[in-house]
Amino acid sequence: MSNQTIIIRDAKELASLTKKIQHEGKSIGLVPTMGYLHEGHLSLIRAARAKSDFVVVSDFVNPTQFGPNEDYATYPRDEQADFEKVQSCGADVLFIPTVESLYPNGQGSTWVEVQNLGNILCGATRPGHFRGVATVVTKLLWLSRADYAFFGEKDYQQLTILKRMAADLGCPTEIIGMPLVREADGLALSSRNVRLSPEARKQALSLNHGLKRASAAFKAGCRNAEKLIWEAQAEIATEKDTEIQYISVANPDTLEIYNGDVPDQAIMLLAVKVGGVRLIDNMRLDK
Amino acid sequence: MSNQTIIIRDAKELASLTKKIQHEGKSIGLVPTMGYLHEGHLSLIRAARAKSDFVVVSDFVNPTQFGPNEDYATYPRDEQADFEKVQSCGADVLFIPTVESLYPNGQGSTWVEVQNLGNILCGATRPGHFRGVATVVTKLLWLSRADYAFFGEKDYQQLTILKRMAADLGCPTEIIGMPLVREADGLALSSRNVRLSPEARKQALSLNHGLKRASAAFKAGCRNAEKLIWEAQAEIATEKDTEIQYISVANPDTLEIYNGDVPDQAIMLLAVKVGGVRLIDNMRLDK
């Protein structure tokens, strides 16, 4: 790639650069991440590079989307490795703001909240999480003046909420979801995987196995939510260090949770702690 | 003025026009109003015209900022008169969206809320009002891609909240406050003044008289909030059809309400129903 990636740490500096770019008539693509980049993130950056004239990747572990007992402090970080990966994908800017730069008036005065969608699934065990996500993404969209913003389908609820937010608020940014990326053995890529012990890493495969088993049952004609959930549970609950937070079958557009009958298009979503590390995964259920 | 004002009613049409304008490198000024324009609004439009390459005026009586027992249905409207005034000030676009165009998914899914500042003063008697304002202004800012947005200081709390929201969320729009405009006899201009009976119109002058009396006391050295409020009350409460909702002395930047001692820079804000019509007014208190 010929592009030289520059690192920007100050929100105002990013804002004035993107204003200039936009006034030149160029399109801007944004890839918001929490850093510790893996192949899933890189697929987003490559998609942004292909679609936009100017690509901004943000690395920001956003404190306002973590609860008091969550892993904000231990969330993995590696700025130098991130820079090299972003550079190799040809992004123009790696934005690594300080907390003070992104929250100049402290945290918690202005919030963007998507009601209802933010309280179910992950929101039920992580109160305030999606309010923190919607708020920081609003900031990043405004600072980057993005025409396109790219998010992985691994965080499926997040993607659905951000699409809803953008539509509700007349946000000019197109929110684009990209396919979940897995390891060769099926584990969904996540920055948190690095915190799995070798034993937990093996047990974590049960998430993918559970989803595949439910998907196979769906293809075989099962249209009962509880039965489909039971299929996934049968794989996951038998691993000794797993703690299921939820397994749900939902409408893939609205995230309406199904009980009993399920139509011919659905999605299964789950969150499981494996050896103390919280992992999420999901899979479309198709005929 | 050589400009021909065009009327746009569809949010998507406005969004694509402003995108084109911005990609041409032109600056955009927005004047959000609820219509029924008076000289106060026109001063905002003229300021926008002087500062921006492209001027958008919006006329939208936003349902989500009215409470169930408020005057949404009876708020005065006159589209043709508004168009002529906007045209005379040389604006490029008069945006008159339908409710459905601005709320395509219905009202009340995504909200932008400025905590604390939205619950005091007018917010105390109008719960949800400023959440509705912050949300619709976010939409208008995103749809218009404004570099500047102009608001009158008559709605001083609204202006303070919007400045705070823009700063908190990294919004690239500069929020600009313009001086309150009064009738020759001192009544603050308001679209609601048309609903005052001749008798109420006379009594409404007591708001300005009260503020002037408090201001005179301040200049004479009074620095006690309750005493300053009493001075204003003495003018207003003696009119028979007035019902005071609040009279407060506050920090002009943060709206921190003063009790007892007041520093050398402050602002008095008040809301009073006069003959059933709710009016607001304010005045700086300076040495």
Side-chain angles (χ1 to χ4, degrees):
Chain A
M1 293 283 173
S2 61
N3 273 29
Q4 183 66 40
T5 304
I6 62 167
I7 292 181
I8 293 181
R9 296 183 191 276
D10 180 62
K12 288 201 172 71
E13 188 183 340
L14 178 67
S16 60
L17 175 60
T18 54
K19 180 174 181 175
K20 180 177 150 287
I21 296 291
Q22 193 167 60
H23 279 205
E24 290 169 0
K26 292 179 183 161
S27 64
I28 299 173
L30 172 71
V31 182
T33 83
M34 297 214 298
Y36 211 78
L37 303 179
H38 53 62
E39 193 54 37
H41 298 113
L42 304 194
S43 72
L44 304 178
I45 302 173
R46 291 187 198 106
R49 179 71 284 166
K51 199 174 172 70
S52 341
D53 297 321
F54 192 83
V55 175
V56 177
V57 178
S58 67
D59 248 33
F60 184 61
V61 185
N62 174 36
T64 73
Q65 71 194 64
F66 286 80
N69 300 314
E70 294 182 357
D71 59 351
Y72 174 68
T74 57
Y75 196 88
R77 292 160 169 91
D78 188 342
E79 211 174 286
Q80 183 56 35
D82 286 352
F83 174 75
E84 285 161 19
K85 289 171 185 167
V86 168
Q87 162 86 18
S88 79
C89 294
D92 298 280
V93 170
L94 175 58
F95 178 49
I96 315 181
T98 60
V99 172
E100 295 69 29
S101 170
L102 222 52
Y103 294 98
N105 302 315
Q107 301 164 29
S109 173
T110 302
W111 294 102
V112 180
E113 186 154 16
V114 181
Q115 294 186 328
N116 307 323
L117 271 178
N119 301 327
I120 56 172
L121 302 167
C122 288
T125 48
R126 305 188 73 187
H129 170 68
F130 288 111
R131 187 181 73 158
V133 169
T135 303
V136 79
V137 169
T138 298
K139 279 174 200 265
L140 292 168
L141 293 177
W142 252 328
L143 290 170
S144 69
R145 295 171 174 252
D147 295 284
Y148 316 106
F150 299 79
F151 297 88
E153 289 186 349
K154 163 134 163 307
D155 300 292
Y156 196 88
Q157 186 178 7
Q158 168 179 281
L159 174 64
T160 306
I161 286 172
L162 294 174
K163 282 182 174 172
R164 180 64 180 261
M165 179 196 82
D168 280 354
L169 294 182
C171 172
T173 311
E174 185 183 345
I175 306 293
I176 297 175
M178 298 292 293
L180 191 156
V181 180
R182 298 182 184 279
E183 301 277 10
D185 63 5
L187 182 67
L189 293 191
S190 164
S191 303
R192 288 185 173 99
N193 289 350
V194 70
R195 292 174 46 219
L196 293 167
S197 68
E199 178 54 30
R201 173 70 181 73
K202 274 182 230 160
Q203 295 186 36
L205 283 180
S206 65
L207 277 64
N208 181 238
H209 294 161
L211 289 168
K212 279 164 67 172
R213 185 161 153 179
S215 171
F218 193 87
K219 279 187 199 302
C222 175
R223 293 292 182 276
N224 176 272
E226 289 68 31
K227 179 80 175 69
L228 292 162
I229 291 166
W230 183 89
E231 296 284 349
Q233 263 175 342
E235 292 289 325
I236 299 166
T238 49
E239 295 289 352
K240 67 178 171 47
D241 299 322
T242 58
E243 179 192 328
I244 296 173
Q245 293 199 332
Y246 67 83
I247 305 178
S248 296
V249 180
N251 178 307
D253 297 318
T254 63
L255 291 186
E256 179 203 344
I257 308 289
Y258 294 127
N259 298 298
D261 292 347
V262 178
D264 284 345
Q265 295 282 339
I267 186 166
M268 176 171 276
L269 308 106
L270 52 80
V272 181
K273 279 196 169 180
V274 185
V277 179
R278 188 177 183 280
L279 302 177
I280 58 175
D281 202 342
N282 66 75
M283 194 172 282
R284 291 279 185 148
L285 304 179
D286 294 299
K287 279 193 283 188
Chain B
M1 292 283 173
S2 60
N3 273 30
Q4 184 66 39
T5 304
I6 62 167
I7 292 179
I8 293 181
R9 296 182 191 275
D10 179 63
K12 288 200 170 73
E13 188 183 340
L14 178 66
S16 61
L17 175 59
T18 55
K19 180 174 183 176
K20 180 176 151 285
I21 296 290
Q22 193 168 61
H23 279 206
E24 289 170 1
K26 292 179 182 161
S27 64
I28 299 173
L30 172 70
V31 182
T33 82
M34 297 213 298
Y36 212 77
L37 304 179
H38 52 62
E39 192 56 36
H41 298 113
L42 303 193
S43 73
L44 304 178
I45 302 173
R46 290 187 199 108
R49 181 71 284 168
K51 200 175 171 72
S52 341
D53 297 322
F54 192 84
V55 174
V56 177
V57 178
S58 67
D59 248 33
F60 184 61
V61 185
N62 174 36
T64 74
Q65 70 194 64
F66 286 81
N69 299 314
E70 294 182 358
D71 59 351
Y72 175 68
T74 57
Y75 196 88
R77 292 159 168 93
D78 189 340
E79 212 174 284
Q80 183 56 34
D82 286 352
F83 174 75
E84 285 160 20
K85 289 170 184 167
V86 167
Q87 162 85 16
S88 79
C89 295
D92 298 280
V93 170
L94 175 59
F95 179 49
I96 315 181
T98 59
V99 172
E100 295 68 31
S101 170
L102 221 52
Y103 295 97
N105 302 315
Q107 301 162 31
S109 174
T110 302
W111 294 102
V112 180
E113 186 155 16
V114 181
Q115 294 187 327
N116 306 323
L117 271 178
N119 302 327
I120 57 173
L121 301 168
C122 287
T125 46
R126 305 189 72 186
H129 170 66
F130 288 111
R131 186 181 75 158
V133 169
T135 303
V136 79
V137 170
T138 297
K139 280 174 198 264
L140 292 169
L141 293 177
W142 250 328
L143 291 170
S144 69
R145 297 171 173 249
D147 296 283
Y148 316 106
F150 299 79
F151 297 88
E153 290 186 348
K154 161 133 166 303
D155 299 292
Y156 196 88
Q157 185 178 9
Q158 168 178 281
L159 175 64
T160 306
I161 286 172
L162 294 174
K163 282 182 174 173
R164 180 65 179 261
M165 179 197 82
D168 282 353
L169 294 182
C171 171
T173 311
E174 184 184 346
I175 306 293
I176 298 174
M178 298 292 293
L180 191 156
V181 180
R182 298 183 183 280
E183 301 275 11
D185 63 3
L187 181 67
L189 292 191
S190 164
S191 303
R192 288 185 173 99
N193 290 350
V194 71
R195 292 175 45 220
L196 293 166
S197 68
E199 178 53 31
R201 173 70 182 73
K202 274 182 227 158
Q203 295 186 35
L205 282 180
S206 65
L207 278 63
N208 181 236
H209 294 159
L211 290 168
K212 278 164 68 173
R213 185 162 153 178
S215 170
F218 194 87
K219 280 189 199 299
C222 175
R223 291 294 182 275
N224 176 271
E226 288 69 29
K227 179 79 175 71
L228 291 162
I229 290 166
W230 184 88
E231 296 283 350
Q233 262 174 342
E235 293 289 325
I236 299 166
T238 50
E239 295 289 351
K240 69 180 170 42
D241 300 322
T242 58
E243 181 193 328
I244 296 172
Q245 293 199 330
Y246 68 83
I247 304 177
S248 296
V249 180
N251 179 307
D253 297 319
T254 64
L255 290 186
E256 179 203 345
I257 308 288
Y258 294 128
N259 298 299
D261 291 348
V262 179
D264 284 345
Q265 295 280 341
I267 186 167
M268 176 172 276
L269 308 106
L270 53 80
V272 180
K273 279 195 169 180
V274 185
V277 180
R278 188 178 182 277
L279 301 177
I280 59 174
D281 202 343
N282 66 76
M283 194 172 282
R284 293 278 186 148
L285 302 179
D286 296 299
K287 279 194 284 189

